[in-house]
Amino acid sequence: MQDETSITDESQKLFELGIEQYDAEQYDDALKTFAKAIELAPENAGYYHWRGCAYREMKNYPHALTDFSKAIELDPENSEHYNLRGVVYYRMDDYPNALTDFSKAIELNPEDTVYYSNRGGVYRNLEDYPNALADYGKAIELESDNAEHYKERGRIYYRMEDYPNALADVNKAIELEPDNAEHYNLRGIVYDHLEDYPNALADFSKAIQLEPDNPVYHNNRGNFYHYNMEDHPNALADYSKAIELDPESATLYSNRGDVHYTLEDYPNALADFSKAIELEPDNPVYHNNRGRIYYDLNDYPNTLADYSKAIQLEPDNPVYHNNRGNFYHYNLEDHPNALADYGKAIELAPESATLYSDRGTVFYTLENYPNALADYSKAIELEPDNTMYHKDRGNIYYNLEDYSSALADYGKAIELEPDNSQHYNLRGNAYYALEDYSNALADFSNAIELAPKNAKLYNNRGNVYYDLKDYPNALADYSKAIGLEPDNPVYHNDRGVVYYYLEDYLNALADFSKTIELEPDNAEHYKDRGNLYDNDLKDYPNALADFSKAVELDPENAELYIWRGNVYCGMEDYPNALADFSKAIELAPENAELYIWRGLVYDRMEDYPNAFTDFNKAIELEPDNAEHYKDRGDVYFEQKDFPNAAKDFEKAYELNPSDELRELINKAKAAG
């Protein structure tokens, strides 16, 4: 049987061998050796302590905790046991227990700076910055030449956004350790936030010079080049170097992908984000960002797939629902799904005005104005000084023909953004709809003063002058609009109408012709010019050509056949007139006026039975229209059927008394 001394000697030798193995990073061997030592001397706290250290290095934290706890049980006054157990708790993110152990270590040995530094790190992670500052300050008081303490306190000041004090501490760290790359990296970050970009760049570069194989420093300088200096070539170079040094970092591929995306190099951006996803397939940010790239590549199926994957991975993120909602709305025009996504986003972030605005836009597109109004009103409630929301709600009121409410919202938009011509233009439109021409003129004039190169504003003011029959000013405004936008058919058409009312038919003709040149597939333009040829220039061949072109472009428009039929009548081409009026009746069989016109053609063709059939149909459709009875009475009179003529004139007179009808009644009775 071994005596106690020999056991102690043997356990000590094992312990010393375990230490050698530990120092050589042979942790498996060290564990076995420490275990043998403990078997021989189970009451030796030091053996448990060092075996706990070996377990810690192997990241076997539960066993490390067990050994450090045993060491504390055997040697409760040893501060280092508590400190090392605190380190394990810290690594396990168990900050309350770490805090307890570090505090105990400090209680037992209040002069050890490491304990204050370690506890300061816990306070930092708990975001208890005042206590963190106090601990690092105590560490500095005890060990004023330790650069690490200054760096860590500087990091706390940085987190508190106290950049001057952060800078002072990092400067001290650099003074004490001028060749420590980490200090320069941190100071570069501080300079960045102080917007001292030359010094920031110098420090990031110094960190890389001192430690060229550290991917973090290349990444940080890449971020600086990308976001602050917009120096994308250098950003790409740094990110690429970082990736070379750490090819398994998804973050680095994501960062480089952002630069490629900024440069609109979508294939390379796509490759980088795809690599990031390969490395971290469950990162929703990468899927969301790759979806954005697919969107710009017009690859909508993959866009939808990535946005949906981001939502699947992080279903409670309102941004992802909003992004997919925007995609459904603006690109796929899938409004039900857009509404569903916006609704979910609102459920997750009910205080976000943007989300209500986005959903309101969908409702507006669907012409669901009550719901659109509710959403924009909520957005305004949340952000009452947002100009856009007032403008957009004003547009909703405008479409609801609630012009007074529209005026109020446009007025608020003007109050918030008085230099925006669009707001005056919109309010001017509302005043115009209310026929408040004075205020409409004032608003359009204000808009023109703010945006004198905007042709639409002159056209809008020209419309007001036109309605006021102030044709000279209307003409001036339309001409100004045309001068600014000579290829806009609307402006030429509007000016042509003014020339028409000024009986300047040649200039009207020129503008209508220009309108057709600019928009040759619009039937209305041919109709307008055809009317000018027909009614005012009496140029029936050209009128006929224009109405025929209009019919060709819009063959289901009954009105066009009427106009062309009238031209045929003017040319006494009654068969073609009859064909056009018959086509118009086919397209609009309930329009009584059409039967009258065709009836008159039959009358001129002396086909009286069909004429009377059409007049009778018109009267059947509109029995209270005096003109129909008068027209039929005229034909009866021509046929010398004076009694029936008198009856129709009397009926017309009954419906709409006039001297003309009284005279016709008397003539018919006298003739009969």
Side-chain angles (χ1 to χ4, degrees):
M1 183 176 180
Q2 287 182 296
D3 61 28
E4 187 174 333
T5 301
S6 65
I7 292 173
T8 302
D9 289 345
E10 186 176 347
S11 66
Q12 184 64 25
K13 288 178 182 177
L14 288 168
F15 172 68
E16 290 172 359
L17 175 60
I19 293 294
E20 289 177 9
Q21 292 166 335
Y22 179 88
D23 289 341
E25 299 182 6
Q26 299 167 355
Y27 300 124
D28 280 330
D29 292 337
L31 283 175
K32 294 172 185 175
T33 304
F34 288 139
K36 290 177 182 177
I38 288 169
E39 186 178 329
L40 292 171
E43 301 303 313
N44 189 312
Y47 299 170
Y48 291 99
H49 175 103
W50 280 100
R51 189 172 71 174
C53 289
Y55 277 128
R56 181 196 63 197
E57 293 305 316
M58 296 179 73
K59 296 183 171 56
N60 187 339
Y61 298 134
H63 279 91
L65 284 179
T66 300
D67 274 350
F68 287 132
S69 296
K70 184 65 177 179
I72 288 169
E73 177 189 325
L74 294 169
D75 186 11
E77 299 303 311
N78 188 315
S79 61
E80 190 60 15
H81 301 333
Y82 292 97
N83 176 58
L84 291 180
R85 188 172 71 175
V87 170
V88 174
Y89 279 129
Y90 179 87
R91 291 186 181 181
M92 296 174 71
D93 296 332
D94 183 349
Y95 299 134
N97 275 319
L99 193 62
T100 299
D101 272 349
F102 290 141
S103 295
K104 183 65 178 178
I106 288 169
E107 177 189 324
L108 292 169
N109 186 2
E111 300 303 312
D112 193 312
T113 59
V114 172
Y115 303 161
Y116 290 101
S117 178
N118 287 349
R119 189 172 69 176
V122 177
Y123 281 129
R124 178 193 65 218
N125 287 0
L126 290 170
E127 297 183 6
D128 181 351
Y129 297 136
N131 274 318
L133 283 179
D135 271 345
Y136 285 124
K138 183 65 177 177
I140 288 168
E141 178 188 322
L142 293 168
E143 194 177 9
S144 60
D145 59 351
N146 187 314
E148 191 71 14
H149 302 331
Y150 289 100
K151 182 197 75 178
E152 290 301 327
R153 189 173 69 176
R155 199 185 302 278
I156 299 300
Y157 280 127
Y158 169 78
R159 289 195 178 188
M160 297 174 72
E161 299 182 8
D162 182 349
Y163 302 127
N165 274 318
L167 185 62
D169 270 347
V170 184
N171 282 338
K172 184 64 178 178
I174 288 172
E175 177 190 323
L176 293 166
E177 286 184 355
D179 294 329
N180 187 312
E182 191 176 355
H183 302 337
Y184 290 98
N185 181 66
L186 178 57
R187 190 170 70 176
I189 293 170
V190 175
Y191 277 132
D192 185 4
H193 279 80
L194 287 168
E195 298 183 4
D196 183 345
Y197 297 145
N199 275 320
L201 182 59
D203 273 344
F204 289 137
S205 298
K206 181 67 175 179
I208 290 169
Q209 177 192 333
L210 291 167
E211 204 172 322
D213 293 336
N214 189 314
V216 172
Y217 304 155
H218 287 281
N219 181 64
N220 287 351
R221 189 172 69 177
N223 289 337
F224 178 76
Y225 278 130
H226 177 34
Y227 295 107
N228 296 98
M229 302 187 74
E230 297 182 7
D231 180 347
H232 300 122
N234 273 319
L236 284 176
D238 267 335
Y239 289 140
S240 295
K241 183 62 178 180
I243 288 169
E244 177 189 323
L245 295 166
D246 187 7
E248 300 304 308
S249 169
T251 300
L252 298 177
Y253 290 98
S254 171
N255 288 348
R256 189 173 68 178
D258 274 335
V259 180
H260 285 309
Y261 181 81
T262 301
L263 293 170
E264 299 182 7
D265 180 355
Y266 300 132
N268 277 319
L270 188 62
D272 273 342
F273 277 110
S274 294
K275 183 63 178 180
I277 288 169
E278 177 190 321
L279 293 166
E280 286 186 29
D282 293 336
N283 188 312
V285 174
Y286 301 157
H287 286 281
N288 181 70
N289 289 348
R290 188 174 70 175
R292 182 183 59 184
I293 297 166
Y294 280 128
Y295 171 82
D296 285 319
L297 288 169
N298 296 320
D299 182 346
Y300 293 159
N302 276 317
T303 301
L304 186 60
D306 265 340
Y307 284 156
S308 296
K309 184 66 175 180
I311 289 170
Q312 177 192 331
L313 292 167
E314 195 175 346
D316 294 335
N317 189 318
V319 173
Y320 300 155
H321 288 280
N322 186 58
N323 287 349
R324 190 173 69 177
N326 288 336
F327 179 67
Y328 277 130
H329 174 39
Y330 293 106
N331 300 97
L332 299 182
E333 296 183 8
D334 180 348
H335 299 123
N337 273 320
L339 287 175
D341 267 338
Y342 289 139
K344 183 63 178 178
I346 287 169
E347 177 188 323
L348 294 167
E351 300 305 307
S352 169
T354 300
L355 298 177
Y356 291 97
S357 168
D358 287 343
R359 188 173 69 177
T361 302
V362 180
F363 283 129
Y364 182 83
T365 301
L366 294 170
E367 297 183 8
N368 182 344
Y369 297 132
N371 277 329
L373 190 62
D375 271 346
Y376 273 106
S377 294
K378 182 64 178 179
I380 288 170
E381 176 189 324
L382 293 167
E383 287 186 24
D385 292 336
N386 188 304
T387 310
M388 183 184 72
Y389 300 159
H390 286 283
K391 180 205 75 177
D392 288 345
R393 188 173 69 175
N395 290 340
I396 297 167
Y397 280 128
Y398 185 91
N399 280 282
L400 287 168
E401 298 183 6
D402 181 354
Y403 299 124
S404 297
S405 292
L407 285 175
D409 266 336
Y410 294 145
K412 183 64 175 179
I414 288 169
E415 176 190 325
L416 292 167
E417 199 174 352
D419 294 332
N420 189 315
S421 63
Q422 184 185 21
H423 305 330
Y424 290 98
N425 179 55
L426 291 171
R427 190 171 68 175
N429 286 333
Y431 279 128
Y432 182 72
L434 289 168
E435 299 183 6
D436 182 347
Y437 297 132
S438 175
N439 276 315
L441 279 178
D443 270 345
F444 290 138
S445 295
N446 279 328
I448 287 168
E449 183 180 334
L450 292 166
K453 301 298 182 182
N454 187 322
K456 184 179 181 181
L457 302 178
Y458 291 97
N459 191 71
N460 286 352
R461 189 171 68 177
N463 291 339
V464 180
Y465 282 129
Y466 173 79
D467 281 2
L468 289 169
K469 295 183 170 52
D470 182 349
Y471 298 134
N473 274 320
L475 193 62
D477 271 345
Y478 291 142
S479 295
K480 182 66 175 179
I482 289 168
L484 291 166
E485 280 186 37
D487 292 336
N488 189 309
V490 173
Y491 306 157
H492 285 281
N493 184 73
D494 288 346
R495 188 173 69 177
V497 172
V498 176
Y499 278 131
Y500 178 84
Y501 279 101
L502 289 170
E503 298 183 5
D504 184 347
Y505 299 132
L506 291 179
N507 273 320
L509 183 61
D511 266 336
F512 289 148
S513 297
K514 185 64 176 179
T515 302
I516 289 169
E517 175 192 324
L518 293 168
E519 201 170 17
D521 294 330
N522 189 315
E524 285 295 307
H525 300 334
Y526 292 96
K527 185 200 76 174
D528 291 340
R529 189 173 69 177
N531 281 327
L532 178 61
Y533 278 131
D534 179 22
N535 297 324
D536 302 286
L537 298 176
K538 306 301 180 186
D539 181 346
Y540 299 128
N542 275 320
L544 186 62
D546 273 346
F547 288 131
S548 294
K549 183 62 176 180
V551 166
E552 175 191 326
L553 292 168
D554 191 7
E556 300 302 309
N557 187 330
E559 182 187 12
L560 300 177
Y561 292 96
I562 296 166
W563 289 113
R564 189 171 68 177
N566 284 329
V567 175
Y568 279 129
C569 283
M571 298 173 71
E572 298 183 2
D573 182 349
Y574 299 126
N576 275 320
L578 188 64
D580 272 347
F581 289 133
S582 295
K583 182 63 178 180
I585 288 170
E586 176 189 323
L587 293 169
E590 300 303 311
N591 187 327
E593 198 72 24
L594 300 180
Y595 292 95
I596 293 295
W597 285 328
R598 189 172 70 176
L600 293 171
V601 175
Y602 279 129
D603 176 38
R604 293 185 185 184
M605 295 175 72
E606 299 182 0
D607 183 348
Y608 301 118
N610 276 321
F612 282 117
T613 298
D614 274 348
F615 291 139
N616 292 339
K617 182 63 177 179
I619 289 169
E620 174 191 326
L621 290 169
E622 289 183 356
D624 294 331
N625 189 314
E627 283 299 311
H628 300 341
Y629 293 98
K630 176 185 177 297
D631 289 336
R632 189 174 68 178
D634 286 338
V635 177
Y636 277 130
F637 194 90
E638 290 173 9
Q639 297 300 304
K640 303 189 184 311
D641 184 347
F642 301 120
N644 276 323
K647 286 180 185 178
D648 273 347
F649 293 147
E650 285 175 340
K651 181 63 177 177
Y653 185 86
E654 176 188 328
L655 292 168
N656 187 20
S658 69
D659 291 341
E660 180 190 4
L661 286 171
R662 168 52 57 194
E663 185 177 342
L664 288 173
I665 292 168
N666 291 336
K667 284 176 65 176
K669 286 183 175 180

